Amino acid sequence: MKSSSVKELLSTTPKQQDVVVDGWVKTFRSNRFIAINDGSTINNIQCVVDFENFEDDVLKQVNSGAALKISGTLVESQGRGQNVEIQVKDIYVHGGADPDDYPIQPKKHSLEFLREKAHLRIRTNTFAAVMRVRSALAFAIHQYFRDNDFYYFHAPIVTGSDAEGAGEMFRVTTLDSKNPPLNDDGKVNYKEDFFGKETNLTVSGQLEAEAYAMALGKVYTFGPTFRAENSNTSRHLAEFWMIEPEMAFYDLDANMDLAEDFIKYVIGYIIEHCNEDLQFLEKRLLDEEKTKPQAERSEMALVEKLHFICDNNFKRVTYTEAIDILRNSKPNKKKRFQYPIDEWGADLQSEHERFLVEKHFKCPVILFNYPAKIKAFYMRLNEDGKTVRAMDILFPGIGEIVGGSQREERLDVLKDKIATLGIDEEELWWYLDLRKFGTAVHSGFGLGFERLVLFATGMGNIRDVIPFPRTPQNAEF
Ligand code: 4AD
Ligand code: MG
C-alpha cells in the first residue's frame, strides 16, 4: 500500500480507512503514543499502539529519531490537540536511533549546540520550519520574476574578473601550492594555471547580468556568491545566496520601485503559504525574547512584523538627509555611536543603519544618492558630480538587506572613474564594450537571500538560516 504524507493524513476525513505512513519518531509517550513527523508539515501525526499486541524488541526501537513505517487505521482522535490519529496495526523499523547516542532528544537544545550538529539539526521543529520557509521564499522569488517577464540567468561561479570590488575573493587554482610555477620576478605564474589566468569564486553576478540585460531586457540571477572577508558577525557568511535582477531602461526610481514591490510580494507569499511554520517561529521568538531585557524586545510579533512590511511604504531618504538626522541624533550627541558621525561623506555602519530604521523611522528605509567615494565604480554619477545613484534597503533587526544602483552607462565617465581608482581597463574590456555598443540607462540590485530568510523567520543568526554555513574557520559539513 502506498504511504501517505503526514500532511495529507492530517487533512483527511477519518473513516477507519487503512493508511501507511513513513517518518521519524518525535516522541514516544507512556508506551502508547508515538508522534511521527516526516518533514511534510510542522505537525506530527499521533499513532496509538496497544503495547500488548507488539513484541518488546520492536517497541524498544521506537525511540526519538528512529525511522518507522506505520500501518494502521485512520480514526477520529480521542485526545486533544489533533483531529485524527492512527490506530497502529503494524510497525516496521527502517532504522533505530540509540537514545544513548542520538543527540537530538525531545528537549530544548541551544542553537549553538545544534550548529555543531548541522546534519541533524534539521530534525528539530525550529530548523525544519526555517528551511521550509527558506524553500518557499526561493520559490516565491522565481514566481515573482516569472510573473514580471524576467529571464532567469545563470552567472558563472568561477570568475576571471576581480574588478567589482565587493569583497575579498577565494582563489580557484589547480596549481601545486607547495611548488607553484614562478615567473622571473618570483611571482606565481598563473598562465600555467587551469584557466591560464588568475581566477576566483564570484562575489556577485552583476557584471555578467548587465551583459545579459543589454539583450534580454530584464534578467535575474539567483545563485551562490562568495566573500573571503574575515567578518565573524551574525549577518555575514563566506558563502551566501544572492538574487540579482538587472533591467535595461530602468533608472534608480524604477529600480527602487521594483525592489520594494518584489520584497513585499515574497513576504506576502510566505504569510499566505507558510502560516503554521510562521506561527511556530513566532512563538519560538516570543519565548526567546522573554529572556531579554524589555528594551531589546521587538515591538511586534513575527507575523505582525511581516504584515507591516507588506502594508507600508518603505521610507525613501537621501544619504544627505540621513547624515543630517544622524548628526543631530541623541546617540551621536551623547557619543554613544562607536563611529561618531560628523561629516558628510562618512560611510554608514550598521549601528547608524539600525538607528535610522529601528529608532528614527521605525519602518524599512531606502537610502539613496550616496557619496561616490564610498560606493562601487560602476554606479551612475549624479549631476552634482559627487553622489552616485546607489540605493541600499535597510530592514529592522537586519540592517542592509539590498544593495543596488543605476549603472554608469556613459563610456567616457566610466573610463575616467576606472582610471581614478587605478583599475586596469584591460580587465574590464568586455564590460566597457557594453557601453560602446548600444549602451542604455540600466539598473539592478542584489538581495542577500539569507538576510531575507533571517528577517522572515525571526532568527537571530545567519548561521541558522542556511543549511550548512560557511564562515571563517568553519566548513565542517
Ligand atoms: O551590497 P552588495 O555587496 O552588492 C552587490 O554585490 C551588488 N553587485 C549587487 C547588485 O547591484 N547586483 O551585496 C548585496 C547584498 C547585501 O545587501 C546583503 O544583503 C548581502 O548581499 N550580503 C551578504 N549576505 C550574507 N553574507 C555576506 N557576507 C554578505 N555580503 C553581502
Ligand atoms: Mg552593500
Side-chain angles (χ1 to χ4, degrees), residues 164 166 203-204 206 227 229 235-237 240 242 244 378 400-404 407 444-448 451 462:
E164 159 130 16
V203 293
S204 152
Q206 176 198 323
R227 298 193 185 176
E229 286 142 300
R235 305 278 175 271
H236 288 88
L237 291 163
F240 65 99
M242 188 157 43
E244 294 182 275
Y378 50 70
E400 181 191 331
I401 194 163
V402 162
R407 320 305 189 187
F445 62 85
L447 170 80
R451 294 199 185 168
I462 201 161

Side-chain angles (χ1 to χ4, degrees), residues 362-416:
K362 295 184 192 282
C363 72
V365 172
I366 312 185
L367 284 188
F368 65 100
N369 285 351
Y370 281 77
K373 281 213 175 77
I374 59 171
K375 288 290 183 188
F377 75 94
Y378 50 70
M379 297 187 180
R380 176 64 154 79
L381 190 64
N382 275 314
E383 283 61 46
D384 63 12
K386 57 177 194 171
T387 61
V388 286
R389 289 185 200 165
M391 64 110 172
D392 279 2
I393 303 187
L394 314 178
F395 256 43
I398 305 289
E400 181 191 331
I401 194 163
V402 162
S405 63
Q406 185 178 322
R407 320 305 189 187
E408 184 55 76
E409 83 285 12
R410 300 164 298 180
L411 182 63
D412 52 336
V413 182
L414 189 57
K415 275 186 160 179
D416 279 353

